[in-house]
Amino acid sequence: MPSKTAKILILGGGFGGLFTALDLPGAGEITLVSDEDHFTFKPMLYEYLSGEVAAWHIAPNFSELLDDVKIVRGDVSSIKLENRSVSIEGRQAPLTYDVLVLALGTTTNYSGVEGAEEFTLPFRTISDANHLRRRMTETLDRIQVDAAPQDTREALTFVVVGGGASGVELSTKMSDLLRDAVKRRALRGEPRVIIVEMTDRLVPGMGDEIREYVERELDRHRIEVHTRTRVARVSKTGLTLEHNGRETEIAAAGVVWVAGVRMNPLIEKLDVEKDKRGLILVEPTLQVRGHQNAFALGDIAFYPDVAPTLSGTAQLALQQAHLCARNVRAFLNGERLTTKHFVELGEALSLGTEHAAVLSAGKVMAGPLARQARFAMYTARLPTWHHRLRVGASWFFEGTEPRPLQPLGF
Ligand SMILES: Cc1cc2nc3c(=O)[nH]c(=O)nc-3n(C[C@H](O)[C@H](O)[C@H](O)COP(=O)(O)OP(=O)(O)OC[C@H]3O[C@@H](n4cnc5c(N)ncnc54)[C@H](O)[C@@H]3O)c2cc1C
């Protein structure tokens, strides 16, 4: 097939899809399909919630990042590998392709908990962060200035379900934002932020050194941690926890659900070889088994030879995207496809608006300096040089101060 006119269809504009597209200029007629008009650098969604960064920093529009790539905004509704076609909701003619790149990511896993999908707030997108920020602000706005400390605490109870990195990063940011707002509004009392985790420890999969630091920070932020605790059900006004067979009800102004991920429903329906968690089995070249012209990467793909701690991470999807683009080109040019060993690029946890912890080469750096290091590390991973430079300059010259939860209407 003449490679310059080959149709390359990329599904998903996250770490896997966008970074593949960025590495493919001139490889063919490229189309990227996404249900959003922008990329989201999810590891910094917590900083967006706190206002330390703006939407344009971490969620630039595809049109600003990609030249010569056709962007189709819409929901993919079906993928037919045998016909080489993909349908988009509300669009009559399906899109056809010569080469397909699947990078559709995962969704929130509510694990069948009663009321969870209906009443909790997810935290995966810019709009999720906006909703949570608004919920916190509206809750603060309803508290009377002369409220008793206990009433303030009850009104300002927020629960984060899931004690992984997301739960820790989110709860510390929420705690700092709420505490700052209580002070600014001269309210009496303090917020109550709770983490609920089903296993016996927080941040499973991370080393003991970083966990010790995380625990100290949670303590400093006065976050209440409930391990070995299951959410039995969620309602409009709160949730019921179960620990050691005993149930406790907690009234909450908001419950945020960051307890695990579920395979994208489109991938669940796709008839290809998968592992027992539903991840697509790919060859070391990222080709979907039995489908040479289809590639899969990121959270939906099971790649042999990947450390368990790397799977389901942006750093893996990012590295795979470079290999994917290289192999798409090789496939179209009739050349030999290659493989790659993916490495850990270091981990960084945001811990409130002033601190962070960075784990690199087995060493933990923590505190305000680690926060700066985290910003520097993530600037380098943003898409395109041009965007990195603009964002880097903005953070350097305009600063990264959090934006207080001002009363609505200000
Ligand atoms: C809040 C948060 C914080 C995180 N922090 C970190 C971190 O610090 N470090 C780290 O390594 N990883 C982190 N992760 C995980 C990381 O973001 C994912 O591993 C990574 O995004 C996977 O890339 P992907 O391309 O497979 O999927 P995604 O980046 O999720 O991209 C999938 C894209 O497909 C789109 N899509 C899905 N379904 C459809 C459809 N039907 N039609 C059209 N478009 C569709 C989605 O909107 C999305 O844009 C975090 C995740 C979250 C949610």
Side-chain angles (χ1 to χ4, degrees):
M1 139 196 4
S3 98
K4 295 284 177 241
T5 55
K7 286 190 201 164
I8 304 169
L9 182 58
I10 301 175
L11 305 185
F15 280 91
L18 171 72
F19 282 86
T20 299
L22 284 169
D23 272 9
L24 277 176
E29 288 172 15
I30 306 165
T31 303
L32 184 144
V33 185
S34 172
D35 51 2
E36 299 194 295
D37 61 359
H38 58 266
F39 165 69
T40 306
F41 191 91
K42 289 178 183 153
M44 292 203 103
L45 204 53
Y46 318 102
E47 278 79 1
Y48 173 72
L49 173 76
S50 59
E52 289 163 84
V53 305
W56 75 265
H57 295 139
I58 64 152
N61 266 58
F62 293 125
S63 56
E64 287 168 33
L65 303 171
L66 293 164
D67 293 325
D68 298 328
V69 172
K70 185 173 165 202
I71 309 294
V72 173
R73 172 122 189 245
D75 262 305
V76 176
S77 51
S78 80
I79 303 167
K80 294 206 173 87
L81 295 178
E82 63 288 2
N83 299 345
R84 299 187 171 198
S85 76
V86 166
S87 304
I88 314 289
E89 227 162 81
R91 221 183 136 108
Q92 265 188 345
L95 299 172
T96 56
Y97 62 82
D98 298 306
V99 173
L100 179 68
V101 175
L102 295 164
L104 287 163
T106 47
T107 62
T108 304
N109 187 357
Y110 297 100
S111 309
V113 173
E114 187 188 323
E117 187 161 2
E118 193 179 352
F119 298 115
T120 66
L121 298 157
F123 192 75
R124 301 182 64 83
T125 63
I126 288 285
S127 120
D128 294 341
N130 288 339
H131 280 133
L132 176 56
R133 199 176 155 96
R134 192 173 179 93
R135 177 75 66 90
M136 289 194 287
T137 309
E138 283 171 348
T139 307
L140 282 157
D141 288 356
R142 280 196 295 269
I143 301 174
Q144 304 290 325
V145 274
D146 57 354
Q150 185 52 29
D151 294 340
T152 303
R153 187 174 141 83
E154 258 172 48
L156 278 185
T157 298
F158 282 86
V159 181
V160 175
V161 182
S166 257
V168 164
E169 295 186 87
L170 189 56
S171 57
T172 46
K173 283 284 188 230
M174 288 169 69
S175 167
D176 275 355
L177 276 176
L178 291 167
R179 274 171 201 286
D180 171 76
V182 164
K183 215 151 83 194
R184 283 172 192 271
R185 295 169 186 227
L187 297 173
R188 293 182 298 156
E190 59 174 15
R192 181 185 184 202
V193 179
I194 300 170
I195 297 185
V196 179
E197 165 59 34
M198 218 156 79
T199 69
D200 61 350
R201 58 177 58 189
L202 297 175
V203 289
M206 290 196 170
D208 285 343
E209 212 184 327
I210 204 161
R211 183 173 307 105
E212 273 169 31
Y213 188 77
V214 162
E215 282 168 358
R216 275 207 303 278
E217 278 301 299
L218 291 173
D219 216 34
R220 195 173 69 83
H221 283 83
R222 305 234 243 161
I223 288 167
E224 217 176 286
V225 178
H226 294 244
T227 50
R228 292 197 178 118
T229 303
R230 193 176 68 83
V231 176
R233 68 200 76 90
V234 188
S235 70
K236 202 172 174 191
T237 52
L239 77 176
T240 307
L241 301 181
E242 195 237 54
H243 175 73
N244 278 346
R246 243 198 26 234
E247 290 199 346
T248 317
E249 278 187 34
I250 297 183
V255 179
V256 196
W257 195 273
V258 287
V261 293
R262 198 194 123 186
M263 186 43 59
N264 189 302
L266 278 170
I267 303 301
E268 279 174 357
K269 283 189 234 147
L270 199 65
D271 185 18
V272 293
E273 279 186 62
K274 296 179 193 155
D275 79 346
K276 53 181 187 298
R277 290 167 301 161
L279 275 77
I280 299 176
L281 294 177
V282 293
E283 303 292 353
T285 53
L286 290 172
Q287 284 163 300
V288 175
R289 282 200 192 162
H291 299 272
Q292 290 203 333
N293 68 333
F295 293 75
L297 71 161
D299 287 1
I300 58 167
F302 178 78
Y303 188 86
D305 177 37
V306 155
T309 44
L310 254 187
S311 70
T313 65
Q315 42 176 306
L316 177 63
L318 196 69
Q319 295 179 66
Q320 287 182 331
H322 300 306
L323 175 65
C324 182
R326 203 163 70 212
N327 279 341
V328 167
R329 273 184 200 279
F331 176 78
L332 289 171
N333 293 329
E335 293 163 4
R336 205 170 69 81
L337 275 61
T338 52
T339 184
K340 192 174 182 308
H341 177 67
F342 302 112
V343 291
E344 307 239 9
L345 303 173
E347 301 196 59
L349 282 184
S350 146
L351 295 164
T353 52
E354 288 168 9
H355 288 225
V358 174
L359 178 68
S360 182
K363 296 250 178 305
V364 179
M365 172 167 88
L369 256 185
R371 177 182 178 274
Q372 300 299 343
R374 185 169 178 276
F375 266 85
M377 185 168 150
Y378 284 162
T379 315
R381 292 190 195 156
L382 288 169
T384 81
W385 272 107
H386 182 246
H387 186 65
R388 265 173 243 158
L389 283 174
R390 281 182 67 214
V391 172
S394 161
W395 288 345
F396 187 78
F397 292 112
E398 289 153 37
T400 53
E401 282 294 298
R403 194 162 45 91
L405 295 174
Q406 299 280 16
L408 289 170
F410 271 60

